[in-house]
Amino acid sequence: MSVVQSIRTAAVAALKSLYDQQVTESDIAINITKPEFEGEYTIVVFSFTKFSRQKPEETAQRIGEYLVSHNPELIARFNVVKGFLNLSINDAYWTKFLQTYYGDVNIGIQPANGKRIMVEYSSPNTNKPLHLGHLRNNFLGYSIAEIMKANGFDVVKANLVNDRGIHICKSMLAWQLFAHGDTPQSSGIKGDHLVGDYYVKFESVVKEQAEPIIDRVLENDFADFDGADVEKIGKLVTALHKPEVKEDKEKTGKIMDDIKEMSRNKTEIMQQAKIMLQQWEAGNHEVRELWATMNSWVYEGFDQTYKRLGIDFDKMYYESETYLLGKDLVAEGLEKGVLFRKEDNSVWIDLTADGLDQKLLLRGDGTSVYMTQDLGTARLKYQDYHMDQSVYVVADEQNYHFKVLQLILSKLGEPSAPGILHLSYGMVELPHGRMKSREGTVVDADDMITEMVQTAEEKTKESGKNLDAFSEDELHELYDTVGMGGLKFFLLRVDPKKKMIFDPKESIDLHGFTATFIQYAHARIKSIIREVGPVADLAGFIYTGELLPLEKELIILNEQFPGILAEAYRELSPSVIASYIFQLAQLFNSFYGEKVDGVPTYSILRAATEEKKKLRLQIIMMTAHTIAQGMKLLGIKVPERM
RNA sequence: GUCUUGGUAGCUCAGCUGGAUAGAGCAACUGCCUUCUAAGCAGUAGGCCAUUGGUUCGAAUCCAAUCCAGGACACCA
């Protein structure tokens, strides 16, 4: 039981006994005592004055006296400032805690709770390589899955690969037209990048081909369009010439975007891509063959990147295998009367009663849309794993989609519905704004990784450390640990819910609130432990003297780790752990560096007594374990030395 | 237009189930390597917590309105 929990229990008993009040534990506000006051934890008693019918000071005094006399093993002293009851925990409590846990490398890990959670993350498209945005998704998904495991859940990490659709056909077509048979092997280009290059090529051809069409449109020549499109594009052009639109740059831009989009759709190459998609859906052998080949290139590339990122999956889903699944659900929904069919044969669900719109589930031609696929996949996942919760790590631009997904699933009576949880995270932006592929500002994931590891190498060499003791392999591992750690920490240290600014200059920094800082603290501890060597009787040792301030603070902070772990799960936020571990590393560094008149206060090797040496060893060992454990939950390695 | 998220130091972010004088890191400025790794430590400076009102013994935190910024509201995924 945690200290805070023990205090709560004791306080509830005190209130019952003193005032005959049954207060729930969660109603007791316990804070960490401000450094300027004596004590470690503080009970805020203002709210108790309602039933104590005494001044806050008197109330606090009475509770304090009760707590000390009834819980002497826990609380040694107290002092009262206004309505704040500051408690000093017994040093013996801390040293006992230390003795129990200092050697526990699984500190904070909870036993299995019998619940299963699926975490779907990464979910890439196979038409281009991963970029910075995917990195946040991947790190977040991996970390949250690890955090859930540590909290006792049985976690299934899933990856739903978007391996079919018009975007894939674009890459395929451009490859057919322009690649002259190039392969990753022949070109020496990583598979996902090669395919991505042809996607870019496709887009540039579209742009080229669309220009004359747009020119004609702007001269009121709509010969490129047919059917209802003629009227639609005509309206857009008319709107463009309205005086109130002419003055409004934003409106003009929007209309021009629509015109461009329609024109792009009429280009020859786009038409070809659409034909290819139809051929794919019809199972055309040649198209399927090409598709399989190019996807295999991409997977090879992704596998390499995933490996470097250190992330993994228990289950792969492929959209090519799941995109038809939702249709059964739609049929059942029609039968149940939850869905309805319109004149054009399209199928809809009416969510207006829930404050939302009508939502399309099947097109008039019977083909499914994004939502239909997700409905089907949700059922499939549930059939496969019967999980209690199904988490989707997806950017916040899809908040509406997941709200609707869950609502429809529950209206269809799907057992998976209550467990749907959208872990919505903010987009990654650059200092100048959002990444835009059209403007070429997308930061490539592989480039990013390479740059971080390179920076780690440069900084290590610049540091002037003696690297002779490291083998070549060890050095490379260190660069990787520091570089990748830096990247992961930078993306995980901010609250996932919030959008974040990614400043490349800041991201390669190795000082301050960074993984490197924490890794360094860990390496320092390990270095001391190596230096000291084995110590007799450490396991059975309990320090009985008085604790110095930073000795005590370190134990206290370590003791909070399980609570932090639970909070990280509750908030679905690895950043909680990142902040905590940083704070712990900071505190250790102060402990390590404090000197009075040039003499280190907390020296381990040269501790004044053997008892102090053992105490401090226990403290730093526990600290190293907590740091390593916390970093592991973020997917970050810690070095033994650096 | 409707819904939604955010606005805290020059910059990037904590703090938000209401509690004591609002915290880190970066950047700036001072000091500290003959003693366990200076990728470090100690310190200085930097704030009308977007604005206005309300609830309360007490508000950065809760409520309302306003301003500013992002996102969503597709027979795209």
Side-chain angles (χ1 to χ4, degrees):
Chain A
M1 191 160 35
S2 70
V3 174
V4 172
Q5 187 54 44
S6 302
I7 295 173
R8 269 184 214 291
T9 309
V12 166
L15 293 172
K16 178 90 180 106
S17 162
L18 291 171
Y19 304 111
D20 196 28
Q21 282 285 323
Q22 193 60 54
V23 176
T24 37
E25 291 187 347
S26 56
D27 286 337
I28 294 171
I30 297 178
N31 298 335
I32 293 163
T33 305
K34 296 265 170 191
E36 52 270 40
F37 303 106
E38 196 204 335
E40 287 94 51
Y41 287 96
T42 295
I43 300 179
V44 185
V45 305
F46 289 102
S47 59
F48 306 149
T49 56
K50 272 182 276 180
F51 52 77
S52 75
R53 296 168 187 283
Q54 289 170 312
K55 288 181 184 161
E57 290 87 339
E58 289 166 11
T59 311
Q61 184 70 28
R62 278 190 73 185
I63 298 170
E65 281 163 8
Y66 184 95
L67 289 177
V68 169
S69 64
H70 289 77
N71 307 274
E73 75 295 341
L74 179 65
I75 298 160
R77 294 179 303 284
F78 73 95
N79 66 85
V80 173
V81 181
K82 292 189 282 183
F84 300 97
L85 170 57
N86 301 323
L87 304 173
S88 298
I89 306 301
N90 207 326
D91 275 4
Y93 182 95
W94 296 125
T95 51
K96 179 70 174 49
F97 167 81
L98 178 64
Q99 192 266 330
T100 311
Y101 290 103
Y102 83 93
D104 186 358
V105 290
N106 290 318
I107 190 161
I109 304 296
Q110 300 302 307
N113 62 18
K115 295 235 166 81
R116 179 178 286 166
I117 301 183
M118 174 180 281
V119 179
E120 180 201 304
Y121 70 106
S122 197
S123 305
N125 291 354
T126 56
N127 65 323
K128 45 185 166 182
L130 304 179
H131 60 69
L132 189 53
H134 292 115
L135 290 183
R136 190 178 198 193
N137 180 302
N138 284 311
F139 296 154
L140 193 55
Y142 177 87
S143 179
I144 221 67
E146 293 300 314
I147 289 167
M148 287 169 162
K149 278 189 202 171
N151 276 283
F153 293 92
D154 173 20
V155 177
V156 181
K157 297 179 195 168
N159 189 357
L160 172 59
V161 183
N162 185 348
D163 62 342
R164 49 129 246 142
I166 190 74
H167 46 288
I168 318 290
C169 291
K170 290 177 180 177
S171 294
M172 286 159 63
L173 183 60
W175 184 86
Q176 259 185 348
L177 293 172
F178 308 108
H180 309 293
D182 242 3
T183 67
Q185 289 72 34
S186 72
S187 65
I189 299 173
K190 195 161 163 279
D192 50 337
H193 286 263
L194 182 74
V195 172
D197 289 347
Y198 286 101
Y199 183 79
V200 172
K201 175 67 181 171
F202 178 94
E203 291 298 336
S204 78
V205 173
V206 168
K207 198 179 172 197
E208 208 174 282
Q209 292 184 356
E211 269 166 21
I213 300 177
I214 296 169
D215 288 345
R216 282 195 288 275
V217 167
L218 293 178
E219 284 162 27
N220 285 311
D221 174 357
F222 308 137
D224 299 283
F225 298 85
D226 46 26
D229 284 350
V230 177
E231 194 187 333
K232 201 172 164 190
I233 193 103
K235 273 186 183 166
L236 285 171
V237 175
T238 312
L240 202 57
H241 294 305
K242 284 183 184 161
E244 71 265 26
V245 173
K246 271 186 177 170
E247 283 164 24
D248 191 332
K249 266 194 171 170
E250 204 177 314
K251 276 187 189 164
T252 308
K254 268 187 186 166
I255 292 173
M256 276 309 294
D257 282 349
D258 286 349
I259 290 174
K260 280 180 189 165
E261 194 55 42
M262 287 186 73
S263 304
R264 289 159 53 83
N265 271 323
K266 290 295 168 191
T267 56
E268 192 194 341
I269 196 164
M270 192 66 107
Q271 297 296 327
Q272 284 175 284
K274 284 181 180 171
I275 289 167
M276 191 180 252
L277 180 61
Q278 283 164 13
Q279 289 171 330
W280 184 92
E281 292 198 359
N284 176 296
H285 183 72
E286 200 185 326
V287 171
R288 286 287 180 132
E289 195 97 312
L290 175 62
W291 171 76
T293 305
M294 288 182 72
N295 270 349
S296 75
W297 298 345
V298 173
Y299 295 143
E300 240 168 75
F302 282 175
D303 283 348
Q304 271 181 45
T305 305
Y306 284 146
K307 203 170 172 195
R308 288 209 81 185
L309 297 178
I311 66 175
D312 55 11
F313 305 97
D314 303 308
K315 173 70 180 176
M316 300 295 287
Y317 287 102
Y318 297 92
E319 209 184 283
S320 56
E321 293 165 4
T322 63
Y323 79 108
L324 296 173
L325 290 177
K327 294 187 178 185
D328 293 345
L329 267 158
V330 172
E332 291 166 30
L334 278 169
E335 224 166 276
K336 286 183 192 166
V338 178
L339 312 181
F340 67 95
R341 202 182 280 279
K342 285 194 179 175
E343 289 164 15
D344 65 353
N345 214 32
S346 58
V347 178
W348 297 72
I349 186 164
D350 187 357
L351 302 173
T352 48
D354 299 277
L356 305 171
D357 301 323
Q358 293 191 346
K359 196 81 192 166
L360 177 88
L361 292 180
L362 277 187
R363 296 190 186 97
D365 61 7
T367 55
S368 47
V369 292
Y370 178 41
M371 183 61 76
T372 326
Q373 293 174 36
D374 266 7
L375 292 170
T377 315
R379 174 179 273 190
L380 177 66
K381 284 173 166 178
Y382 192 79
Q383 282 167 351
D384 287 349
Y385 293 98
H386 287 89
M387 57 280 194
D388 300 278
Q389 200 159 47
S390 181
V391 178
Y392 294 77
V393 182
V394 177
D396 61 8
E397 57 183 356
Q398 295 198 40
N399 285 353
Y400 183 73
H401 173 78
F402 282 100
K403 196 174 164 185
V404 172
L405 175 70
Q406 182 166 32
L407 188 58
I408 296 178
L409 282 171
S410 81
K411 284 189 184 290
L412 291 171
E414 285 294 290
S416 62
I420 300 287
L421 180 65
H422 177 203
L423 200 175
S424 163
Y425 65 90
M427 311 269 260
V428 182
E429 293 181 9
L430 300 172
H432 320 283
R434 282 184 77 165
M435 288 192 286
K436 288 181 182 143
S437 50
R438 286 195 190 163
E439 291 167 21
T441 54
V442 176
V443 178
D444 179 76
D446 290 318
D447 290 351
M448 197 64 231
I449 295 166
T450 306
E451 196 186 330
M452 288 298 292
V453 175
Q454 247 168 29
T455 305
E457 180 169 354
E458 283 161 22
K459 299 285 165 125
T460 303
K461 287 175 175 162
E462 274 172 27
S463 73
K465 287 185 186 300
N466 181 10
L467 301 175
D468 298 345
F470 291 83
S471 72
E472 199 60 23
D473 284 352
E474 283 169 336
L475 273 179
H476 281 287
E477 197 184 325
L478 179 63
Y479 303 151
D480 190 73
T481 299
V482 172
M484 284 306 305
L487 183 58
K488 289 184 184 183
F489 195 85
F490 191 81
L491 289 168
L492 288 175
R493 68 184 197 182
V494 301
D495 184 343
K497 288 192 293 295
K498 296 188 181 171
K499 73 169 187 206
M500 67 174 293
I501 312 275
F502 185 92
D503 186 344
K505 282 202 299 288
E506 213 185 313
S507 71
I508 57 171
D509 198 351
L510 306 180
H511 302 277
F513 188 25
T514 63
T516 313
F517 180 95
I518 297 163
Q519 289 166 330
Y520 185 61
H522 182 266
R524 273 178 152 178
I525 294 175
K526 285 310 181 88
S527 161
I528 296 169
I529 293 170
R530 276 194 303 275
E531 194 87 9
V532 174
V535 172
D537 304 329
L538 195 58
F541 174 76
I542 296 186
Y543 183 75
T544 49
E546 201 169 323
L547 294 169
L548 291 173
L550 292 186
E551 293 165 348
K552 194 192 285 192
E553 279 184 48
L554 268 173
I555 301 173
I556 294 172
L557 198 53
N558 273 289
E559 197 270 344
Q560 290 168 7
F561 181 61
I564 293 292
L565 185 53
E567 187 186 343
Y569 164 69
R570 213 170 40 244
E571 304 284 325
L572 296 175
S573 177
S575 70
V576 171
I577 291 176
S579 300
Y580 167 81
I581 298 291
F582 174 64
Q583 199 191 339
L584 184 60
Q586 243 180 344
L587 186 60
F588 167 76
N589 277 334
S590 298
F591 172 91
Y592 181 90
E594 185 170 304
K595 284 178 187 171
V596 176
D597 299 330
V599 181
T601 312
Y602 301 101
S603 177
I604 288 113
L605 288 174
R606 275 166 285 279
T609 64
E610 193 62 18
E611 279 69 36
K612 274 287 178 192
K613 185 177 184 175
K614 286 181 180 173
L615 167 75
R616 288 174 192 162
L617 259 180
Q618 286 181 331
I619 291 173
I620 65 169
M621 283 173 81
M622 178 157 67
T623 302
H625 293 149
T626 307
I627 288 176
Q629 187 61 253
M631 291 292 260
K632 191 177 159 212
L633 295 175
L634 301 178
I636 300 173
K637 290 185 256 178
V638 286
E640 292 297 306
R641 52 188 174 150
M642 63 191 285

